[in-house]
Amino acid sequence: MYLNNGKGKFTKQYNRLPNYLTSGSCVVPNDFDKDGDIDLFIGGRLIPQKYPHAANSHLLENRDGVFVDVSKEKASDFAGLGMVTSASWFDHNKDGLDDLVVVGEWMPVTVFVQSKDGKFSKERLGGLENSEGWYYSVKTEDMDNDGDVDIIVGNLGLNYKYKASIDEPFEVHSYDFDENGSLDIVLSYYEHGVSFPVRGKSCSTQQIPSLETKFKTYEDFGDSDLIDVYGSSLESALNLKAKTFASAYIENNGDGSFNVESLPSLAQVSSVNSILAKDYDGDGNKDLLIVGNLYPSEVETPRNDAGTGLYLKGDGNGNFNPTSILESGFYAPNDAKDMKVIKVGDKEVILVVNNNDFIQAIEFIER
């Protein structure tokens, strides 16, 4: 933490934050207890060398400038929450108390509701069942002008090698299958109701050499399903599932339930890593800007690189119309990881940060 003296000079602070030595993903500030200062949600990512085992997430309460971890007392469900990538504060039920929506890899869209005593509980809200995916971003805004706050989530997209559905999810299994003291990772998919390993014989035997003895030929391996290959060890493995890879608009119905609608096809061509919501065309309805892509991938899987940034015009009823680059001028074709809006004089500039590339600065010109 660095303290600003008001003139742009920052001084490092040593005793204001807990001394965490864990893998985290995001820091989302908000005055959740309404005492006039800023508190923090810390999203936990993973336990190093133990993918996909999740690190703990934390709730830090600001007490006179010192951040105290109150997770055990006020948010016990944050422990082992999942491989968090993004979170957003919002009052989902309009009770004046800030709630929290959290998304991540192999996670459902998860809403924590704050009670009057300041404690957060994970709620099973209608419409969010079976929403497990590979999410990279979440945004909360009233997109349909009905007075409550909706959710927009950025997922892997529907243009990737991996596919997922409720009936045939994409899965990961983590266990020491070859009993060598380290965890192995097995990905699986379904075909006609039967689960098969994603990796072929060559890659699988590199990770677990004993499979070379078990399966003498590629044909033997190819004829085997997941249980044939890994056997009863699967029952002891950590098993996580993705049931949708679609980026989506999640409408708040106002009664404690939600309605999930996939964004248009052009928003599904790649992963969505960052989302901005604003009325960009001045028609009184909020629109969306999205950027993404996922360049790192293993040899067998081409990278997710079809995204070029997209302006989605909202109609105020939860529908979004993709707009061409020529019409919108919004173009972000790289491995974009985040967007932020800054002021340059009286101009609004959107910064797009790209992995292994330059930062883009895109000026927004109001009509």
Coordinates of all heavy atoms in Angstrom, one line a residue, residues 164-233:
A164 N -18.7 -26.9 -23.6 CA -19.3 -27.3 -22.3 C -20.8 -27.0 -22.3 O -21.3 -26.1 -22.9 CB -18.7 -26.4 -21.1
S165 N -21.5 -27.9 -21.6 CA -22.9 -27.7 -21.4 C -23.3 -28.3 -20.1 O -22.5 -29.0 -19.4 CB -23.7 -28.4 -22.6 OG -23.6 -29.8 -22.5
I166 N -24.5 -28.1 -19.7 CA -25.0 -28.7 -18.4 C -24.9 -30.2 -18.4 O -24.5 -30.9 -17.5 CB -26.4 -28.2 -18.1 CG1 -26.4 -26.7 -17.8 CG2 -27.0 -28.9 -16.8 CD1 -27.8 -26.1 -17.7
D167 N -25.4 -30.8 -19.5 CA -25.5 -32.2 -19.6 C -24.1 -32.9 -19.9 O -23.8 -34.0 -19.4 CB -26.4 -32.7 -20.7 CG -27.9 -32.3 -20.4 OD1 -28.2 -32.3 -19.2 OD2 -28.6 -32.0 -21.3
E168 N -23.2 -32.1 -20.6 CA -21.9 -32.6 -20.9 C -20.9 -31.6 -20.6 O -20.3 -30.9 -21.5 CB -21.8 -33.1 -22.4 CG -22.8 -34.2 -22.7 CD -22.5 -34.8 -24.1 OE1 -21.9 -34.1 -24.9 OE2 -23.0 -35.9 -24.3
P169 N -20.5 -31.4 -19.3 CA -19.6 -30.4 -18.9 C -18.2 -30.7 -19.3 O -17.8 -31.9 -19.5 CB -19.8 -30.4 -17.4 CG -20.2 -31.7 -17.0 CD -21.1 -32.2 -18.2
F170 N -17.4 -29.7 -19.3 CA -15.9 -29.8 -19.5 C -15.3 -29.9 -18.1 O -15.7 -29.1 -17.2 CB -15.3 -28.6 -20.2 CG -13.9 -28.8 -20.6 CD1 -13.6 -29.6 -21.7 CD2 -12.9 -28.2 -19.9 CE1 -12.2 -29.7 -22.1 CE2 -11.6 -28.3 -20.3 CZ -11.2 -29.1 -21.4
E171 N -14.5 -30.9 -17.8 CA -14.1 -31.1 -16.4 C -12.6 -31.2 -16.2 O -11.8 -31.4 -17.2 CB -14.7 -32.5 -15.9 CG -16.2 -32.5 -16.0 CD -16.8 -33.8 -15.4 OE1 -16.2 -34.3 -14.4 OE2 -17.7 -34.4 -16.0
V172 N -12.1 -30.9 -15.0 CA -10.8 -31.1 -14.6 C -10.7 -32.0 -13.3 O -11.6 -32.0 -12.5 CB -10.1 -29.8 -14.3 CG1 -10.7 -29.1 -13.1 CG2 -8.6 -30.0 -14.0
H173 N -9.7 -32.9 -13.3 CA -9.5 -33.8 -12.2 C -8.1 -33.7 -11.7 O -7.2 -33.7 -12.5 CB -9.8 -35.3 -12.6 CG -11.0 -35.5 -13.4 ND1 -12.2 -35.9 -12.9 CD2 -11.3 -35.2 -14.7 CE1 -13.1 -36.0 -13.8 NE2 -12.6 -35.6 -15.0
S174 N -7.9 -33.4 -10.4 CA -6.6 -33.2 -9.8 C -6.3 -34.3 -8.7 O -7.1 -34.4 -7.7 CB -6.5 -31.8 -9.2 OG -5.3 -31.6 -8.6
Y175 N -5.3 -35.0 -9.0 CA -4.9 -36.1 -8.0 C -3.5 -36.6 -8.4 O -3.0 -36.4 -9.5 CB -5.9 -37.3 -8.1 CG -5.8 -38.4 -7.1 CD1 -6.1 -38.1 -5.8 CD2 -5.3 -39.6 -7.5 CE1 -6.0 -39.2 -4.8 CE2 -5.2 -40.6 -6.6 CZ -5.5 -40.4 -5.2 OH -5.4 -41.4 -4.3
D176 N -2.9 -37.2 -7.4 CA -1.6 -37.8 -7.7 C -1.8 -39.2 -8.2 O -1.7 -40.2 -7.6 CB -0.8 -37.9 -6.3 CG 0.6 -38.5 -6.6 OD1 1.0 -38.7 -7.7 OD2 1.3 -38.7 -5.5
F177 N -2.1 -39.2 -9.5 CA -2.5 -40.5 -10.2 C -1.4 -41.5 -10.2 O -1.6 -42.7 -10.2 CB -3.0 -40.2 -11.6 CG -4.4 -39.5 -11.6 CD1 -4.5 -38.2 -11.9 CD2 -5.5 -40.3 -11.4 CE1 -5.7 -37.6 -11.9 CE2 -6.8 -39.6 -11.4 CZ -6.9 -38.3 -11.7
D178 N -0.1 -41.0 -10.4 CA 1.0 -42.0 -10.5 C 1.8 -42.1 -9.2 O 2.8 -42.7 -9.2 CB 2.0 -41.5 -11.6 CG 2.4 -40.1 -11.5 OD1 2.0 -39.4 -10.5 OD2 3.1 -39.6 -12.3
E179 N 1.2 -41.5 -8.1 CA 1.8 -41.7 -6.7 C 3.3 -41.3 -6.7 O 4.1 -42.0 -6.1 CB 1.5 -43.1 -6.3 CG 0.1 -43.5 -6.2 CD -0.1 -44.9 -5.7 OE1 0.8 -45.7 -5.7 OE2 -1.3 -45.3 -5.3
N180 N 3.6 -40.2 -7.3 CA 5.0 -39.7 -7.2 C 5.2 -38.5 -6.3 O 6.2 -37.9 -6.3 CB 5.5 -39.4 -8.6 CG 4.8 -38.2 -9.2 OD1 3.8 -37.8 -8.7 ND2 5.4 -37.7 -10.3
G181 N 4.1 -38.2 -5.6 CA 4.2 -37.1 -4.6 C 3.8 -35.7 -5.1 O 3.8 -34.8 -4.4
S182 N 3.4 -35.6 -6.4 CA 2.9 -34.4 -6.9 C 1.6 -34.6 -7.6 O 1.3 -35.7 -8.1 CB 3.9 -33.8 -7.9 OG 4.1 -34.7 -9.0
L183 N 0.8 -33.5 -7.7 CA -0.6 -33.6 -8.2 C -0.5 -33.6 -9.8 O 0.3 -32.9 -10.4 CB -1.4 -32.4 -7.8 CG -1.8 -32.4 -6.3 CD1 -2.5 -31.1 -6.0 CD2 -2.7 -33.6 -6.0
D184 N -1.3 -34.4 -10.4 CA -1.5 -34.5 -11.8 C -2.8 -33.8 -12.2 O -3.8 -33.8 -11.4 CB -1.5 -35.9 -12.3 CG -0.2 -36.6 -11.9 OD1 0.9 -36.2 -12.3 OD2 -0.3 -37.6 -11.2
I185 N -2.9 -33.3 -13.4 CA -4.1 -32.7 -13.9 C -4.6 -33.4 -15.1 O -3.9 -33.6 -16.1 CB -3.8 -31.2 -14.2 CG1 -3.4 -30.4 -13.0 CG2 -5.1 -30.5 -14.8 CD1 -2.8 -29.1 -13.4
V186 N -5.9 -33.8 -15.0 CA -6.5 -34.5 -16.2 C -7.8 -33.7 -16.6 O -8.7 -33.5 -15.8 CB -6.9 -35.9 -15.8 CG1 -7.7 -36.6 -16.9 CG2 -5.7 -36.7 -15.4
L187 N -7.8 -33.3 -17.8 CA -9.0 -32.6 -18.4 C -9.8 -33.6 -19.2 O -9.2 -34.6 -19.8 CB -8.5 -31.5 -19.4 CG -7.7 -30.3 -18.8 CD1 -7.2 -29.4 -19.9 CD2 -8.6 -29.5 -17.8
S188 N -11.1 -33.5 -19.1 CA -12.0 -34.4 -19.8 C -13.2 -33.8 -20.4 O -13.6 -32.7 -20.0 CB -12.5 -35.5 -18.8 OG -13.3 -34.9 -17.8
Y189 N -13.7 -34.4 -21.4 CA -14.9 -33.9 -22.2 C -15.8 -35.1 -22.4 O -15.4 -36.3 -22.3 CB -14.5 -33.3 -23.5 CG -14.0 -34.3 -24.5 CD1 -14.8 -34.8 -25.5 CD2 -12.7 -34.8 -24.4 CE1 -14.3 -35.7 -26.4 CE2 -12.2 -35.7 -25.3 CZ -13.0 -36.2 -26.3 OH -12.5 -37.1 -27.2
Y190 N -17.1 -34.8 -22.8 CA -18.0 -35.8 -23.1 C -18.3 -35.9 -24.6 O -18.3 -35.0 -25.3 CB -19.4 -35.5 -22.4 CG -19.3 -35.8 -20.9 CD1 -18.9 -34.9 -20.0 CD2 -19.8 -37.0 -20.4 CE1 -18.8 -35.2 -18.6 CE2 -19.8 -37.4 -19.1 CZ -19.3 -36.5 -18.2 OH -19.3 -36.8 -16.8
E191 N -18.6 -37.2 -25.0 CA -19.0 -37.4 -26.3 C -20.0 -38.5 -26.3 O -19.8 -39.6 -25.8 CB -17.8 -37.9 -27.2 CG -18.2 -38.0 -28.7 CD -16.9 -38.2 -29.5 OE1 -16.0 -37.4 -29.4 OE2 -16.9 -39.2 -30.3
H192 N -21.3 -38.2 -26.6 CA -22.4 -39.1 -26.6 C -22.6 -39.7 -25.2 O -22.8 -40.9 -25.0 CB -22.2 -40.3 -27.6 CG -22.0 -39.8 -29.0 ND1 -23.0 -39.0 -29.7 CD2 -21.0 -39.9 -29.9 CE1 -22.6 -38.7 -30.9 NE2 -21.4 -39.2 -31.0
G193 N -22.4 -38.8 -24.2 CA -22.7 -39.2 -22.8 C -21.5 -40.0 -22.1 O -21.6 -40.4 -20.9
V194 N -20.4 -40.2 -22.8 CA -19.2 -40.8 -22.2 C -18.1 -39.9 -22.1 O -17.8 -39.1 -23.0 CB -18.8 -42.0 -23.1 CG1 -17.6 -42.8 -22.5 CG2 -20.0 -43.0 -23.3
S195 N -17.4 -39.9 -20.9 CA -16.3 -39.0 -20.7 C -15.0 -39.5 -21.2 O -14.7 -40.7 -20.9 CB -16.2 -38.7 -19.1 OG -15.2 -37.8 -18.9
F196 N -14.2 -38.7 -21.9 CA -12.9 -39.1 -22.4 C -11.8 -38.1 -22.0 O -12.2 -36.9 -21.8 CB -12.9 -39.1 -23.9 CG -13.8 -40.2 -24.5 CD1 -15.2 -39.9 -24.8 CD2 -13.4 -41.5 -24.7 CE1 -16.0 -40.9 -25.3 CE2 -14.2 -42.5 -25.2 CZ -15.5 -42.2 -25.5
P197 N -10.6 -38.5 -21.8 CA -9.5 -37.5 -21.6 C -9.3 -36.6 -22.8 O -9.3 -37.1 -23.9 CB -8.3 -38.4 -21.2 CG -8.6 -39.7 -21.9 CD -10.1 -39.9 -21.9
V198 N -9.0 -35.4 -22.5 CA -8.7 -34.4 -23.6 C -7.3 -34.7 -24.2 O -7.2 -34.7 -25.4 CB -8.7 -33.0 -23.0 CG1 -8.1 -32.0 -24.0 CG2 -10.1 -32.5 -22.7
R199 N -6.3 -35.0 -23.4 CA -5.0 -35.3 -23.8 C -4.9 -36.7 -24.5 O -5.4 -37.7 -24.0 CB -4.0 -35.2 -22.7 CG -4.0 -33.8 -22.0 CD -3.3 -32.8 -22.9 NE -3.4 -31.4 -22.3 CZ -4.3 -30.5 -22.8 NH1 -5.1 -30.8 -23.8 NH2 -4.4 -29.4 -22.2
G200 N -4.2 -36.8 -25.6 CA -3.9 -38.1 -26.2 C -2.9 -38.9 -25.5 O -2.4 -38.5 -24.4
K201 N -2.5 -40.0 -26.1 CA -1.6 -40.9 -25.4 C -0.2 -40.3 -25.2 O 0.4 -40.5 -24.1 CB -1.5 -42.2 -26.3 CG -0.5 -43.3 -25.7 CD -0.5 -44.5 -26.6 CE 0.4 -45.6 -25.9 NZ 1.8 -45.2 -25.9
S202 N 0.3 -39.6 -26.2 CA 1.6 -39.0 -26.0 C 1.7 -38.0 -24.9 O 2.6 -38.2 -24.0 CB 2.0 -38.3 -27.3 OG 3.3 -37.8 -27.2
C203 N 0.8 -37.1 -24.8 CA 0.9 -36.1 -23.7 C 0.5 -36.7 -22.4 O 1.1 -36.3 -21.4 CB -0.1 -34.9 -24.0 SG 0.4 -33.9 -25.4
S204 N -0.4 -37.6 -22.4 CA -0.8 -38.3 -21.1 C 0.3 -39.1 -20.5 O 0.6 -39.0 -19.3 CB -2.0 -39.2 -21.3 OG -3.1 -38.4 -21.8
T205 N 1.1 -39.8 -21.4 CA 2.2 -40.6 -20.8 C 3.4 -39.8 -20.4 O 4.2 -40.2 -19.6 CB 2.6 -41.7 -21.9 OG1 2.9 -41.1 -23.1 CG2 1.5 -42.7 -22.0
Q206 N 3.5 -38.6 -21.0 CA 4.6 -37.7 -20.6 C 4.3 -37.3 -19.1 O 5.3 -37.1 -18.3 CB 4.6 -36.5 -21.5 CG 5.3 -36.7 -22.8 CD 5.3 -35.5 -23.7 OE1 5.0 -34.4 -23.3 NE2 5.5 -35.7 -25.0
Q207 N 3.1 -37.0 -18.8 CA 2.7 -36.6 -17.4 C 2.7 -37.8 -16.5 O 3.1 -37.7 -15.3 CB 1.4 -35.9 -17.4 CG 1.0 -35.4 -16.0 CD -0.4 -34.6 -16.1 OE1 -1.2 -34.9 -16.9 NE2 -0.5 -33.6 -15.3
I208 N 2.1 -38.9 -16.9 CA 2.0 -40.1 -16.1 C 2.6 -41.3 -16.9 O 2.0 -42.0 -17.6 CB 0.5 -40.4 -15.8 CG1 -0.1 -39.2 -15.1 CG2 0.4 -41.6 -14.9 CD1 -1.6 -39.3 -14.9
P209 N 3.9 -41.5 -16.7 CA 4.7 -42.5 -17.5 C 4.1 -44.0 -17.4 O 4.3 -44.8 -18.3 CB 6.1 -42.5 -16.9 CG 6.2 -41.1 -16.4 CD 4.9 -40.8 -15.8
S210 N 3.4 -44.3 -16.3 CA 2.9 -45.7 -16.1 C 1.9 -46.0 -17.2 O 1.6 -47.2 -17.4 CB 2.3 -45.8 -14.7 OG 1.3 -44.9 -14.5
L211 N 1.2 -45.0 -17.8 CA 0.2 -45.3 -18.8 C 0.9 -45.9 -20.1 O 0.2 -46.6 -20.8 CB -0.5 -44.0 -19.2 CG -1.3 -43.3 -18.1 CD1 -1.9 -42.0 -18.6 CD2 -2.4 -44.3 -17.6
E212 N 2.2 -45.7 -20.2 CA 2.9 -46.3 -21.4 C 2.8 -47.8 -21.3 O 2.6 -48.5 -22.3 CB 4.3 -45.9 -21.4 CG 5.1 -46.3 -22.6 CD 4.7 -45.6 -23.9 OE1 4.7 -44.4 -23.9 OE2 4.4 -46.3 -24.8
T213 N 2.9 -48.4 -20.1 CA 2.8 -49.8 -19.9 C 1.4 -50.3 -20.0 O 1.1 -51.4 -20.5 CB 3.4 -50.2 -18.5 OG1 4.7 -49.7 -18.4 CG2 3.4 -51.7 -18.3
K214 N 0.4 -49.5 -19.5 CA -1.0 -49.9 -19.5 C -1.5 -49.9 -20.9 O -2.4 -50.8 -21.2 CB -1.8 -48.9 -18.6 CG -3.2 -49.3 -18.4 CD -3.9 -48.4 -17.4 CE -5.3 -48.8 -17.1 NZ -6.0 -47.9 -16.1
F215 N -1.1 -49.0 -21.7 CA -1.6 -48.9 -23.1 C -0.5 -49.0 -24.1 O 0.3 -48.0 -24.2 CB -2.4 -47.6 -23.3 CG -3.6 -47.4 -22.4 CD1 -3.5 -46.7 -21.2 CD2 -4.8 -48.0 -22.7 CE1 -4.6 -46.6 -20.3 CE2 -5.9 -47.9 -21.9 CZ -5.8 -47.2 -20.7
K216 N -0.4 -50.1 -24.7 CA 0.8 -50.4 -25.6 C 0.7 -49.6 -26.9 O 1.7 -49.2 -27.5 CB 0.8 -51.9 -25.9 CG 1.0 -52.8 -24.7 CD 2.4 -52.5 -24.0 CE 2.6 -53.5 -22.9 NZ 3.9 -53.3 -22.2
T217 N -0.5 -49.4 -27.4 CA -0.7 -48.7 -28.7 C -1.6 -47.5 -28.6 O -2.4 -47.4 -27.6 CB -1.3 -49.7 -29.7 OG1 -2.7 -50.0 -29.3 CG2 -0.5 -51.0 -29.8
Y218 N -1.5 -46.6 -29.6 CA -2.4 -45.5 -29.6 C -3.9 -45.9 -29.8 O -4.8 -45.3 -29.3 CB -2.0 -44.6 -30.8 CG -0.8 -43.8 -30.5 CD1 0.5 -44.3 -30.8 CD2 -0.8 -42.5 -29.9 CE1 1.6 -43.6 -30.6 CE2 0.3 -41.8 -29.7 CZ 1.5 -42.3 -30.0 OH 2.7 -41.6 -29.7
E219 N -4.1 -47.0 -30.5 CA -5.4 -47.5 -30.7 C -6.0 -48.0 -29.4 O -7.2 -47.7 -29.1 CB -5.4 -48.7 -31.7 CG -6.8 -49.2 -32.0 CD -6.8 -50.4 -33.0 OE1 -5.7 -50.9 -33.3 OE2 -7.9 -50.8 -33.5
D220 N -5.2 -48.6 -28.5 CA -5.7 -49.1 -27.2 C -6.1 -47.8 -26.4 O -7.2 -47.8 -25.7 CB -4.6 -49.8 -26.5 CG -4.4 -51.2 -27.0 OD1 -5.2 -51.7 -27.8 OD2 -3.3 -51.8 -26.8
F221 N -5.3 -46.8 -26.4 CA -5.6 -45.6 -25.7 C -6.9 -44.9 -26.2 O -7.8 -44.5 -25.5 CB -4.4 -44.6 -25.7 CG -4.6 -43.5 -24.7 CD1 -4.1 -43.5 -23.4 CD2 -5.2 -42.3 -25.1 CE1 -4.3 -42.5 -22.6 CE2 -5.4 -41.2 -24.3 CZ -4.9 -41.3 -23.0
G222 N -6.9 -44.8 -27.6 CA -8.0 -44.2 -28.2 C -9.4 -44.9 -28.0 O -10.4 -44.2 -28.0
D223 N -9.3 -46.2 -27.8 CA -10.6 -46.9 -27.5 C -11.0 -46.9 -26.1 O -12.1 -47.4 -25.7 CB -10.4 -48.4 -27.9 CG -10.3 -48.6 -29.4 OD1 -10.8 -47.7 -30.1 OD2 -9.7 -49.6 -29.8
S224 N -10.3 -46.2 -25.2 CA -10.5 -46.2 -23.8 C -11.2 -44.9 -23.4 O -10.9 -43.8 -23.9 CB -9.2 -46.4 -23.0 OG -8.6 -47.6 -23.4
D225 N -12.1 -44.9 -22.4 CA -12.7 -43.7 -21.9 C -12.0 -43.3 -20.6 O -10.9 -43.9 -20.3 CB -14.2 -43.9 -21.6 CG -14.5 -45.0 -20.6 OD1 -13.6 -45.3 -19.7 OD2 -15.6 -45.5 -20.6
L226 N -12.5 -42.3 -20.0 CA -11.7 -41.7 -18.8 C -11.5 -42.7 -17.7 O -10.5 -42.8 -17.1 CB -12.5 -40.4 -18.3 CG -11.8 -39.6 -17.2 CD1 -10.6 -38.9 -17.9 CD2 -12.7 -38.6 -16.6
I227 N -12.6 -43.5 -17.4 CA -12.5 -44.4 -16.3 C -11.5 -45.6 -16.7 O -10.8 -46.1 -15.8 CB -13.9 -45.0 -16.0 CG1 -14.8 -43.9 -15.5 CG2 -13.8 -46.1 -15.0 CD1 -16.2 -44.3 -15.2
D228 N -11.5 -46.0 -18.0 CA -10.6 -47.0 -18.4 C -9.2 -46.6 -18.2 O -8.3 -47.4 -17.8 CB -10.8 -47.3 -19.9 CG -12.1 -48.0 -20.2 OD1 -12.7 -48.6 -19.3 OD2 -12.6 -47.8 -21.3
V229 N -8.9 -45.3 -18.4 CA -7.5 -44.8 -18.3 C -7.1 -44.6 -16.9 O -6.0 -45.0 -16.4 CB -7.3 -43.5 -19.1 CG1 -5.9 -42.9 -18.9 CG2 -7.7 -43.7 -20.6
Y230 N -8.0 -43.9 -16.1 CA -7.5 -43.5 -14.7 C -8.2 -44.3 -13.6 O -7.8 -44.2 -12.4 CB -7.8 -42.0 -14.6 CG -6.9 -41.2 -15.5 CD1 -7.5 -40.7 -16.7 CD2 -5.6 -41.0 -15.3 CE1 -6.7 -39.9 -17.6 CE2 -4.8 -40.3 -16.2 CZ -5.4 -39.8 -17.3 OH -4.6 -39.1 -18.2
G231 N -9.2 -45.1 -13.9 CA -9.7 -46.0 -12.9 C -10.3 -45.4 -11.7 O -10.8 -44.2 -11.7
S232 N -10.3 -46.1 -10.6 CA -11.0 -45.7 -9.3 C -10.3 -44.5 -8.7 O -10.9 -43.9 -7.8 CB -11.0 -46.9 -8.3 OG -9.6 -47.3 -8.0
S233 N -9.1 -44.1 -9.1 CA -8.5 -42.9 -8.5 C -9.3 -41.6 -8.8 O -9.2 -40.7 -8.0 CB -7.1 -42.7 -9.2 OG -6.2 -43.8 -8.9

